[in-house]
Amino acid sequence: MNFDSKVIYGGISDDPRTGAVSVPIYQTSTYRQPAPGEPKEYEYSRTGNPTRRALEELIVDLEEGERGFAFSSGMAAISTVLLLFQSGDHLILSDDVYGGTFRVVEKVFSQQGLQYSFVDTSEPENIQRAIRPETKAIFIETPTNPLLKITDIAAVAEISKAEELLLIVDNTFMTPYLQQPLTLGADIVVHSATKYLGGHSDLVAGLAVTSSEELGDRLHFLQNSVGAILSPQDSWLLQRGIKTLSLRMARHQENAEKLASWLKEHSEVDKVYYPGLKEHPGHRINKKQAAGGGGMISFTTTSPEAAQNLLKKVEMITLAESLGGVESLISLPAAMTHASIPAEKREKLGITDSLVRLSVGIEDYNDLQQDLDRGLTEVKN
Ligand SMILES: *Cc1c(COP(=O)(O)O)cnc(C)c1O
């Protein structure tokens, strides 16, 4: 089955008992057992729930993995994956990972003795150089947030295999519609399903998919032990969102490609970061590993004031954190999503006060362009 059909029919897509074409919401905590200690398929909903299972099998199909797990947020998925490691273990991570990932590593897991290095993974040599005897895993995002830097997944997978490390990829920005890290050699894929997979800014959820049964067993043990599972209601809502993933991603990307080309010619715009643009430093690698540049654009305005103004003047586009919804969202990472990163480090990474991040929605292209143009040109007065 091809991907565009799999989003609809992958995993468990209906109810074999009644023929319902939508998976029922099994709003139950427990399951009757025929005899003590001999449960049927399910025993307790933290351990497993049929609605959640349907979603988990779906993401396994879409990411071409072995086992899938649904969590109450992207951070719950990432944190549970990080529990695979012990005190003294060392991790190498992309230096402009999602702010929450940075925070949980630096402020929470470090307290448990986890060692870490943040490096620019767009140059795989930096990873090679950071490897220590205690290194256990590499955690990358590609494209990164918000500068959309590209890391060569296959090249990093080669390093991780040679050094017997786990490769974990946060695939939130691309989704399996555009990029399937497990097929490129990654061991675990994580998602904030709050974003494109859910797609409608109406839920918070996370997913993790493993490339092997063995890793799947370890992750299921941790998920069941720690318990940050997704509810049956939200599992259903997320599966429903995923049914239109292909349609939405195609439109997000079409709008983003056009907007990126238009923005880079705009007199009030300094620099546009979009992996779909030929001049983007990661363009060639992104083209090799992903079916396009995706729906996220970052750009710098001519001044911090211009950025502030733009965010206040847009009308249709919503000023908000988050991304990946049908509606376009605009934000100032330095003041919003990335505020938890120390100012000095932000500047070093290029997350300046003039940097605007745009999650391009699926609206009419001309309406989007007009809204941005007004916001950018009214700035002058
Ligand atoms: C939002 C996000 C997360 C965190 O997910 P939540 O669902 O908000 O907990 C992790 N990684 C990336 C790339 C994100 O954009």
Side-chain angles (χ1 to χ4, degrees):
M1 207 185 280
N2 290 314
F3 191 90
D4 292 356
S5 308
K6 268 202 239 171
V7 292
I8 300 164
Y9 301 112
I12 301 161
S13 64
D14 60 5
D15 180 31
R17 197 172 68 82
T18 61
V21 296
S22 164
V23 173
I25 300 173
Y26 286 91
Q27 193 68 46
T28 187
S29 62
T30 191
Y31 307 82
R32 181 189 300 146
Q33 303 194 7
E38 288 176 29
K40 289 192 193 161
E41 207 179 339
Y42 297 96
E43 52 195 291
Y44 187 64
S45 278
R46 170 161 35 75
T47 316
N49 172 282
T51 315
R52 194 172 93 225
R53 173 72 55 82
L55 166 69
E56 291 172 337
E57 305 256 325
L58 172 59
I59 194 64
V60 165
D61 277 357
L62 298 183
E63 288 286 8
E64 302 197 16
E66 284 298 326
R67 298 274 297 282
F69 304 95
F71 295 88
S72 50
S73 69
M75 285 319 303
I78 290 167
S79 300
T80 305
V81 166
L82 292 178
L83 290 170
L84 288 166
F85 308 105
Q86 298 174 4
S87 173
D89 287 352
H90 174 251
L91 251 59
I92 299 167
L93 303 98
S94 300
D95 62 3
D96 60 345
V97 281
Y98 175 71
T101 303
F102 179 83
R103 180 174 56 200
V104 85
V105 167
E106 176 148 283
K107 297 272 198 287
V108 181
F109 281 92
S110 65
Q111 302 287 307
Q112 313 301 320
L114 193 73
Q115 309 289 311
Y116 56 88
S117 308
F118 287 96
V119 306
D120 180 354
T121 55
S122 65
E123 305 281 351
E125 310 86 80
N126 293 337
I127 297 177
Q128 193 75 57
R129 234 175 282 133
I131 293 173
R132 308 177 189 167
E134 315 79 61
T135 306
K136 290 290 177 343
I138 305 166
F139 185 114
I140 62 171
E141 263 177 53
T142 178
T144 56
N145 176 27
L147 290 172
L148 304 164
K149 278 198 293 198
I150 301 298
T151 292
D152 187 332
I153 300 174
V156 177
E158 231 170 81
I159 298 176
S160 73
K161 290 212 167 23
E163 305 281 344
E164 295 182 33
L165 312 175
L166 285 182
L167 175 57
I168 305 159
V169 180
D170 184 333
N171 203 28
T172 300
F173 272 37
M174 281 298 176
T175 82
Y177 175 79
L178 294 174
Q179 173 172 286
Q180 294 167 310
L182 299 180
T183 67
L184 300 168
D187 300 289
I188 300 177
V189 162
V190 291
H191 279 282
S192 170
T194 313
K195 316 292 169 53
Y196 288 108
L197 293 176
H200 296 75
S201 307
D202 54 9
L203 114 133
V204 174
L207 294 167
V209 186
T210 67
S211 63
S212 71
E213 286 288 340
E214 187 265 333
L215 262 178
D217 286 343
R218 287 169 64 195
L219 207 53
H220 183 254
F221 172 81
L222 290 169
Q223 184 191 42
N224 187 41
S225 302
V226 177
I229 50 151
L230 193 63
S231 75
Q233 296 270 353
D234 282 347
S235 295
W236 179 86
L237 189 58
L238 178 49
Q239 185 168 22
R240 172 175 148 133
I242 291 174
K243 287 180 205 235
T244 56
L245 179 69
S246 295
L247 282 174
R248 287 185 288 105
M249 288 310 290
R251 180 62 169 263
H252 283 298
Q253 179 158 287
E254 186 192 325
N255 278 348
E257 280 169 358
K258 287 196 219 162
L259 275 181
S261 304
W262 173 76
L263 279 168
K264 81 175 183 190
E265 305 300 334
H266 202 288
S267 59
E268 300 300 320
V269 173
D270 237 9
K271 197 165 170 3
V272 177
Y273 302 86
Y274 181 65
L277 290 175
K278 283 211 173 60
E279 57 270 36
H280 186 283
H283 177 75
R284 196 183 47 81
I285 289 164
N286 190 65
K287 202 165 173 182
K288 181 183 75 165
Q289 66 192 15
M296 297 297 298
I297 302 174
S298 290
F299 58 95
T300 50
T301 50
T302 46
S303 69
E305 295 72 37
Q308 288 279 349
N309 257 299
L310 166 64
L311 298 204
K312 285 181 203 146
K313 293 223 163 102
V314 285
E315 286 169 9
M316 183 178 79
I317 301 171
T318 307
L319 169 59
E321 288 192 6
S322 197
L323 59 109
V326 291
E327 58 289 284
S328 292
L329 301 176
I330 198 163
S331 69
L332 199 67
M336 298 166 67
T337 44
H338 290 62
S340 60
I341 299 178
E344 195 182 299
K345 183 157 195 289
R346 268 202 317 261
E347 284 290 326
K348 217 174 93 201
L349 292 171
I351 307 172
T352 66
D353 293 339
S354 306
L355 184 77
V356 174
R357 188 183 82 175
L358 183 63
S359 170
V360 181
I362 64 170
E363 301 94 335
D364 177 77
Y365 172 76
N366 291 321
D367 288 337
L368 285 174
Q369 186 185 311
Q370 273 169 28
D371 203 19
L372 286 171
D373 197 31
R374 180 178 42 244
L376 284 165
T377 41
E378 274 183 24
V379 152
K380 275 188 178 154
N381 53 36

